[in-house]
């Protein structure tokens, strides 16, 4: 089964390579991080991050615990601001605008940048209401449109067939893997531009993990995906580009093949070969 | 080496064995379940005893006054010489007026401040305000009674010219103030126990803080909030001192809140502190009123239990 997926991935990749030139210049940059520094109180959490994230790609962020990978991801939709003592400097340019600028409201940013969390966190509501939550808070009230959005999002998250007969049941009655795909569908419902995923499979069993990984491959056609993972095989399987974080710094950032086959930095090689972390 | 080690182990084991064999320890172990059981039994028996007395004396009352007169009579004139009337409706009206006013005052303010404390206030503010609320909940109700009679009523009289010295409005408002901390505190507990991951899920969809509070946290905590309100209502119904002091003692079956009233509790106080002789109809009437009151609060408590099960959003 795993082998099958790998084959599929390589096919997807080869198509990808064929349709899009391998030169980075032609690809659009979604996020351009320039000299980003972040402090939690006195702790210097992110140090001089410079990173360009490309459109319609899966970008994986790997690194040992506490290296700042989740912090960086949460900076991209400013969820990091929920920690009261956070300070940042530098800039993150998203679609030509600096999101760290205070004039950029977090609501506007998060409407365009969705997020999937480590632990599935559906609302204690029906499956339907979970998916319709985003569109509803943004003012969509028409029942017919909502119905369409719900179906489209659930199909997009490859869970429609499993739940179509019980849309009115509580989302907490689903398995962990299904809950996580509900959360992905909830995120798709407002048609974001970017999806941030914070270790989305770490609480799931292998089969559910596989389904989510397949889904990520499918989603990158329409979305730019940034995924934090502690599972290096996962990063190798699903991502186009990988950034290796260590102690709040980006040690290496390149095409995933390069990172895993011919890493430039000794620390990257030590980490991916399992010598630490 | 080995023998020394064995020696050591055996001596510790010896000490344990000695202590285990002590008589007193054995007795305590045996007696404890019985002691604990009897403690539990006493409280249960007392409850049954109270309910039994209530039912028994109420039964005596209904030997003298017909149950239909009691339930549907619109006049409560127990002291009117030859022809006393025992229609409970005016007393119920008094109680409901006060309770309703209290709810109108306490529920919006209580829930609003609970939302503030749980969703907006910093940890420091919460840590300061919560104990203050608990102090407020500990103020003796007689003090609230003075407050209603000597402060709130004169103030209201400035605004509403026709307001009597004893009325339903002033004690209603003050009972509302009394149950406010209870609603705030219990609702805040319910909202704070909603996991943060849910707030994050909504915030990540571009929801504002207020949308998160109203559309995620409030529904998730609804069962806790409703049961706090129902429990508070049940306290308002049973409230005695405030209504005795500021409500008056003229039971009337109407909807006027500016007029003097009498609640069920206030009537019981009036008779119990007066000189109604043992065995008279008036004496038994306080049990029938007490029993009615008991039914009211019992229903409210059962309702609270039912609601908290029915509306629980499982997470």
């Amino acid at each position: 089964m795993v082998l099958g997926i790998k084959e599929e991935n390589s096919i997807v990749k080869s198509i990808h390579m064929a349709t899009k030139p391998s030169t980075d210049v032609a690809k659009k940059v979604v996020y351009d991080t320039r000299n980003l520094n972040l402090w939690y109180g006195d702790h210097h959490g992110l140090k001089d991050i410079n990173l360009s994230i490309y459109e319609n790609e899966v970008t994986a962020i790997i690194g040992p615990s506490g290296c700042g990978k989740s912090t960086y991801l949460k900076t991209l939709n400013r969820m990091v601001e929920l920690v009261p003592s956070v300070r940042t400097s530098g800039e993150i340019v998203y679609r030509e605008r600096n999101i760290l600028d205070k004039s950029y409201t977090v609501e506007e940013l998060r409407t365009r940048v969705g997020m999937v969390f480590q632990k599935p966190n559906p609302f204690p509501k029906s499956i339907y209401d979970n998916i319709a939550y985003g569109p509803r808070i943004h003012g969509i009230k028409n029942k017919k449109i909502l119905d369409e959005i719900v179906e489209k999002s659930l199909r997009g998250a490859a869970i429609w067939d499993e739940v179509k007969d019980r849309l009115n049941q509580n989302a907490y009655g689903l398995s962990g893997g299904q809950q996580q795909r509900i959360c992905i569908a909830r995120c798709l419902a407002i048609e974001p531009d970017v999806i941030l995923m914070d270790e989305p499979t770490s609480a799931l069993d292998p089969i559910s993990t596989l389904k989510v990984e397949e889904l990520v491959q499918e989603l990158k056609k329409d979305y730019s995906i940034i995924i934090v993972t502690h599972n290096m095989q996962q990063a190798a399987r699903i991502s186009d580009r990988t950034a290796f974080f260590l102690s709040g710094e980006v040690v290496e950032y390149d095409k995933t093949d390069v990172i895993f086959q011919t890493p430039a930095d000794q620390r990257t090689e030590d980490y991916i070969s399992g010598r630490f972390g | 080496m080995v023998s020394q080690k064995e020696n050591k182990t055996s001596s510790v084991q010896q000490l344990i064995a000695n202590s285990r064999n002590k008589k007193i320890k054995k007795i305590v172990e045996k007696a404890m379940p019985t002691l604990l059981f009897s403690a539990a039994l006493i409280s249960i028996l007392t409850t049954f005893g109270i309910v039994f007395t209530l039912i028994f004396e109420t039964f005596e009352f209904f030997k003298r006054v017909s149950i239909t007169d009691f339930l549907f009579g619109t006049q409560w004139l127990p002291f009117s010489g030859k022809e006393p009337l025992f229609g409970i409706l005016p007393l119920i009206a008094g109680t409901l007026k006060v309770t309703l006013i209290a709810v109108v005052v306490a529920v919006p303010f209580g829930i609003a401040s609970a939302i503030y404390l749980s969703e907006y206030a910093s940890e420091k503010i919460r840590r300061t305000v919560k104990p203050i609320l608990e102090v407020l909940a500990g103020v003796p109700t007689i003090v609230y009674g003075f407050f209603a009679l000597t402060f709130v009523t004169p103030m209201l009289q400035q605004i509403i010219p026709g307001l009597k010295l004893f009325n339903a409005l002033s004690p209603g408002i003050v009972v509302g103030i009394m149950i406010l901390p209870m609603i705030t505190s219990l609702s805040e507990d319910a909202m704070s126990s909603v996991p943060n991951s849910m707030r994050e899920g909504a915030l990540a969809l571009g929801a504002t803080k207020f949308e998160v509070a109203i559309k995620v946290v409030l529904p998730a905590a609804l069962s806790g909030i409703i049961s706090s309100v129902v429990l508070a209502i049940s306290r308002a119904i049973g409230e005695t001192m405030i209504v005795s002091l500021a409500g008056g003692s003229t039971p009337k079956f109407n909807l006027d809140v500016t007029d003097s009233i009498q609640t069920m509790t206030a009537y019981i106080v009036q008779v119990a502190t007066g000189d109604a002789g043992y065995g008279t109809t008036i004496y038994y009437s306080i049990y029938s009123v007490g029993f009615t009151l008991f039914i009211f609060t019992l229903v409210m408590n059962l309702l609270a239990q039912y609601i908290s099960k029915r509306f629980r959003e499982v997470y």
Side-chain angles (χ1 to χ4, degrees):
Chain A
M1 210 161 168
V2 175
L3 214 88
I5 291 300
K6 269 191 177 160
E7 276 167 12
E8 207 178 285
N9 281 2
S10 57
I11 293 166
V12 171
K13 259 183 195 158
S14 60
I15 293 168
H16 184 79
M17 292 294 187
T19 49
K20 288 192 179 175
S22 55
T23 44
D24 291 344
V25 194
K27 268 187 182 158
K28 263 196 176 170
V29 172
V30 181
Y31 269 115
D32 203 4
T33 308
R34 297 170 194 160
N35 302 319
L36 173 70
N37 280 281
L38 180 143
W39 295 265
Y40 287 119
D42 293 332
H43 175 68
H44 198 170
L46 294 174
K47 299 165 193 163
D48 277 323
I49 309 282
N50 284 287
L51 213 59
S52 298
I53 288 161
Y54 297 92
E55 201 171 46
N56 293 93
E57 277 195 358
V58 177
T59 306
I61 300 174
I62 59 169
S65 303
C67 69
K69 56 189 193 297
S70 279
T71 301
Y72 176 65
L73 192 77
K74 285 177 184 162
T75 313
L76 296 178
N77 68 346
R78 284 172 58 186
M79 287 293 275
V80 77
E81 288 172 13
L82 294 180
V83 183
S85 60
V86 158
R87 277 181 303 126
T88 51
S89 77
E91 55 183 23
I92 301 176
V93 178
Y94 165 69
R95 304 282 183 199
E96 274 86 55
R97 275 178 73 194
N98 179 15
I99 60 163
L100 296 180
D101 196 293
K102 292 297 165 198
S103 69
Y104 205 132
T105 67
V106 287
E107 290 81 21
E108 186 189 346
L109 176 66
R110 291 171 192 163
T111 309
R112 306 209 57 200
V113 181
M115 187 167 200
V116 176
F117 295 81
Q118 192 169 354
K119 237 185 98 217
N121 60 347
F123 303 128
K125 300 172 187 292
S126 71
I127 294 168
Y128 186 98
D129 287 342
N130 260 281
I131 312 301
Y133 181 87
R136 275 183 183 145
I137 58 166
H138 294 297
I140 300 171
K141 299 241 158 64
N142 187 313
K143 178 87 171 81
K144 233 177 154 184
I145 297 174
L146 282 176
D147 286 350
E148 272 168 32
I149 292 174
V150 169
E151 179 171 347
K152 195 178 156 202
S153 311
L154 288 169
R155 281 191 194 280
I159 195 172
W160 170 253
D161 290 329
E162 291 161 63
V163 299
K164 65 181 172 197
D165 298 320
R166 43 173 171 162
L167 293 177
N168 291 319
Q169 286 176 26
N170 194 314
Y172 273 80
L174 301 171
S175 75
Q178 288 172 323
Q179 285 183 22
Q180 192 62 299
R181 278 179 288 145
I182 289 291
C183 292
I184 294 173
R186 180 175 71 187
C187 169
L188 300 182
I190 53 172
E191 296 183 355
D193 176 31
V194 181
I195 301 174
L196 309 175
M197 296 185 164
D198 189 3
E199 302 192 19
T201 61
S202 65
L204 306 184
D205 61 89
I207 291 175
S208 303
T209 299
L210 207 69
K211 283 185 178 162
V212 171
E213 286 184 8
E214 284 176 305
L215 183 57
V216 169
Q217 288 301 315
E218 199 54 41
L219 290 172
K220 79 168 186 186
K221 291 172 193 159
D222 301 311
Y223 305 92
S224 310
I225 295 168
I226 304 158
I227 183 167
V228 162
T229 177
H230 61 241
N231 180 338
M232 281 172 283
Q233 284 74 34
Q234 184 171 63
R237 277 196 299 269
I238 67 173
S239 70
D240 302 295
R241 243 171 254 269
T242 299
F244 172 54
F245 275 58
L246 189 65
S247 321
E249 286 174 83
V250 181
V251 173
E252 198 169 346
Y253 176 51
D254 211 323
K255 293 239 173 64
T256 299
D257 300 345
V258 177
I259 292 277
F260 282 91
Q261 278 155 24
T262 50
D265 196 293
Q266 185 61 38
R267 289 170 295 176
T268 315
E269 190 176 344
D270 288 348
Y271 181 71
I272 59 170
S273 57
R275 241 163 267 168
F276 73 96
Chain B
M1 258 310 252
V2 177
S3 73
Q4 212 178 4
K5 208 175 178 184
E6 268 178 4
N7 237 335
K8 248 185 188 169
T9 334
S10 67
S11 68
V12 172
Q13 286 290 333
Q14 195 63 46
L15 287 172
I16 293 171
N18 286 347
S19 123
R20 189 180 293 145
N21 288 335
K22 270 189 187 144
K23 250 189 182 166
I24 182 84
K25 200 171 174 183
K26 279 185 176 167
I27 294 168
V28 168
E29 275 309 310
K30 277 226 168 111
M32 228 42 205
T34 324
L35 275 171
L36 295 174
F37 173 74
S38 37
L41 194 67
I42 285 171
S43 63
I44 292 171
L45 284 179
T46 318
T47 312
F48 272 109
I50 291 168
V51 175
F52 177 76
T53 317
L54 215 50
I55 292 174
F56 186 76
E57 303 283 16
T58 304
F59 193 69
E60 278 297 316
F61 175 74
F62 286 126
K63 279 182 183 162
R64 295 149 204 255
V65 177
S66 97
I67 198 158
T68 40
D69 284 355
F70 177 73
L71 288 179
F72 303 108
T74 57
Q75 278 185 301
W76 183 265
L77 299 166
F79 308 108
S80 79
K82 274 185 198 162
E83 199 68 36
L85 290 166
F86 292 95
I88 187 103
L89 287 179
L91 292 184
I92 292 179
T95 297
L96 289 187
K97 270 188 247 176
V98 169
T99 307
L100 215 68
I101 295 165
V103 166
V104 168
V105 170
V107 170
F109 284 102
I111 293 178
S113 42
I115 291 174
Y116 170 73
L117 284 179
S118 147
E119 303 303 306
Y120 291 91
S122 67
E123 191 53 39
K124 207 174 156 191
I125 293 179
R126 194 176 332 175
R127 267 205 306 250
T128 324
V129 173
K130 273 213 115 181
I132 294 175
L133 280 176
E134 262 126 50
V135 168
L136 205 59
V139 173
T141 55
I142 187 96
V143 177
Y144 281 109
F146 294 153
F147 176 64
L149 186 64
T150 61
F151 180 75
V152 178
T153 304
M155 205 176 68
L156 288 172
Q157 278 172 329
Q158 303 276 315
I159 308 162
I160 309 164
L163 195 72
K164 306 245 166 56
L165 177 60
F166 297 109
N167 58 71
L169 195 57
S170 165
I173 291 168
V174 175
V175 170
I177 294 169
M178 183 196 78
I179 62 176
L180 184 64
M182 185 177 176
I183 294 178
T184 306
S185 184
L186 292 176
S187 299
E188 199 269 331
D189 289 343
M191 285 189 240
S192 297
S193 58
V194 173
N196 256 333
S197 66
M198 267 173 222
R199 293 185 181 86
E200 286 173 6
L203 287 172
L205 288 167
T208 60
K209 242 182 159 180
F210 187 64
E211 283 163 344
V212 173
I214 298 299
K215 291 178 184 159
V216 174
V217 179
L218 206 65
L222 194 66
S223 76
I225 294 169
I226 293 181
S227 44
S228 84
V229 170
V230 177
L231 283 177
I233 292 175
S234 138
R235 257 207 84 183
I237 292 174
E239 171 45 39
T240 309
M241 283 327 294
I242 301 172
V243 288
S244 295
L245 254 66
S249 53
T250 36
K252 281 172 198 154
F253 185 55
N254 60 25
L255 293 171
D256 189 2
V257 294
T258 61
D259 205 357
S260 169
I261 54 160
Q262 187 166 45
T263 64
M264 294 189 266
T265 48
Y267 172 71
I268 296 172
V269 171
Q270 188 193 5
V271 174
T273 53
D275 47 6
Y278 175 80
T280 60
T281 315
I282 290 178
Y283 169 81
Y284 287 117
S285 75
I286 62 171
Y287 285 94
S288 67
V289 173
F291 188 68
T292 314
L293 199 58
F294 170 71
I295 298 285
F296 265 78
T297 47
L298 183 71
V299 167
M300 289 318 275
N301 287 347
L302 292 177
L303 196 67
Q305 276 185 25
Y306 168 77
I307 287 168
S308 70
K309 273 195 199 122
R310 170 74 182 69
F311 289 97
R312 174 151 293 147
E313 279 196 340
V314 189
Y315 52 79

